[in-house]
């Protein structure tokens, strides 16, 4: 979304995570997506770095709020760290627990993840977006993970006590920008 918003043209190579192309692993051995490869061979393989680089090229609506840098970093670290861990346990509960007795119940992991939702709901009760009245890089970096959380058990999410979060999420899911980048693409094969 950041690349599209910034008007950066990329050659998009859709990969299968269970069958990563050698060219991807040669560029970035850690084997996670996204990987952005520049014509001179430079590589960015952290999505937040890709976003920041894109906004440095063009940021017409001021998604990059320099004065809130510390807060943005804190929120994104919470998202990518603790929240993501609880989200994965919640979302992939069957996979984590299959064949062995799970350490905790699915409700336990959901409740852990909810601590982040509660913090976001508080922010969104004050302003429309996480850092104020306008969209920032934090909203764009975080909403895809709230989307994952919501769709792990949509009925539960729909009935949950996070009205502002639901409106905030729905706004992104309906946006032209999101819909345009969710288009499906054929899988890239090195050969
Ligand atoms: N912190 C990294 C996380 C990237 C990440 O874990 N991506 C997942 C997909 S969303 C992945 O590539 N996993 C590797 C795998 O499943 O083999 C980033 O933001 O770029």
């Amino acid at each position: 979304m950041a690349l599209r918003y910034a008007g950066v043209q990329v050659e998009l190579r859709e990969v299968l995570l269970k069958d990563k192309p050698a060219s991807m692993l040669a560029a970035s051995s850690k084997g996670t997506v996204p990987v952005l490869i520049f014509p001179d061979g430079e590589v960015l393989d952290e999505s937040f770095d890709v976003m920041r680089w894109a906004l440095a090229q063009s940021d017409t609506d001021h998604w990059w709020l320099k004065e809130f840098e510390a807060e943005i970093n804190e929120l994104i670290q919470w998202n990518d760290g603790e929240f993501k861990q609880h989200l994965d346990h919640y979302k992939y509960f069957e996979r984590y627990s299959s064949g062995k007795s799970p350490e905790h119940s699915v409700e336990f992991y959901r409740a852990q993840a909810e601590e982040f939702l509660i913090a976001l709901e508080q922010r969104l009760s004050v302003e429309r977006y996480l850092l104020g009245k306008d969209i920032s890089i934090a909203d764009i970096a975080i909403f895809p993970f709230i989307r994952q959380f919501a769709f792990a058990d949509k009925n539960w999410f729909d009935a949950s006590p996070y009205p502002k979060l639901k409106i905030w999420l729905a706004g992104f899911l309906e946006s032209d920008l999101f819909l345009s980048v969710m288009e499906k693409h054929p899988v890239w094969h090195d050969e």
Side-chain angles (χ1 to χ4, degrees):
M1 282 178 78
L3 290 166
R4 174 69 58 88
Y5 158 76
V8 175
Q9 197 179 352
V10 293
E11 179 187 326
L12 187 61
R13 296 182 175 180
E14 185 74 31
V15 302
L16 284 181
L17 288 176
K18 57 177 190 302
D19 186 19
K20 292 168 193 163
S23 59
M24 171 189 161
L25 295 169
S28 171
S29 56
K30 81 182 168 88
T32 63
V33 292
V35 179
L36 181 62
I37 306 172
F38 292 85
D40 68 0
E42 200 199 322
V43 169
L44 291 180
D45 60 9
E46 278 293 321
S47 49
F48 193 34
D49 292 338
V50 172
M51 295 180 81
R52 276 190 303 209
W53 177 82
L55 300 193
Q57 310 312 303
S58 168
D59 185 10
T60 44
D61 295 337
H62 310 289
W63 282 10
W64 179 241
L65 299 174
K66 185 88 188 95
E67 66 275 30
F68 290 114
E69 190 170 358
E71 242 176 289
I72 289 171
N73 287 338
E74 202 180 299
L75 273 175
I76 291 177
Q77 271 166 25
W78 188 353
N79 178 80
D80 289 6
E82 225 179 307
F83 175 69
K84 178 73 164 55
Q85 245 182 358
H86 300 317
L87 169 66
D88 284 347
H89 275 104
Y90 172 48
K91 190 172 151 188
Y92 301 117
F93 186 71
E94 310 293 330
R95 190 192 303 173
Y96 275 104
S97 56
S98 73
K100 54 184 165 82
S101 57
E103 212 175 326
H104 298 288
S105 66
V106 69
E107 288 80 14
F108 171 89
Y109 293 115
R110 181 168 61 208
Q112 297 285 105
E114 274 185 84
E115 287 179 24
F116 188 52
L117 269 60
I118 292 167
L120 300 187
E121 178 72 16
Q122 270 167 2
R123 284 177 174 271
L124 298 170
S125 305
V126 182
E127 301 265 25
R128 182 159 173 203
Y129 294 103
L130 294 176
L131 269 307
K133 62 179 179 39
D134 298 310
I135 292 180
S136 77
I137 190 170
D139 298 286
I140 303 299
I142 291 170
F143 93 80
F145 296 88
I146 304 304
R147 171 178 175 263
Q148 286 186 31
F149 178 92
F151 285 92
D153 185 343
K154 193 60 172 44
N155 289 334
W156 184 90
F157 185 75
D158 287 345
S160 71
Y162 307 111
K164 304 289 185 195
L165 192 71
K166 287 181 216 172
I167 295 169
W168 172 82
L169 177 63
F172 287 115
L173 299 187
E174 289 159 8
S175 69
D176 290 342
L177 183 57
F178 176 70
L179 293 171
S180 75
V181 299
M182 289 303 278
E183 248 174 56
K184 296 266 180 246
H185 299 277
V187 172
W188 166 266
H189 295 284
D190 279 339
E191 66 277 14

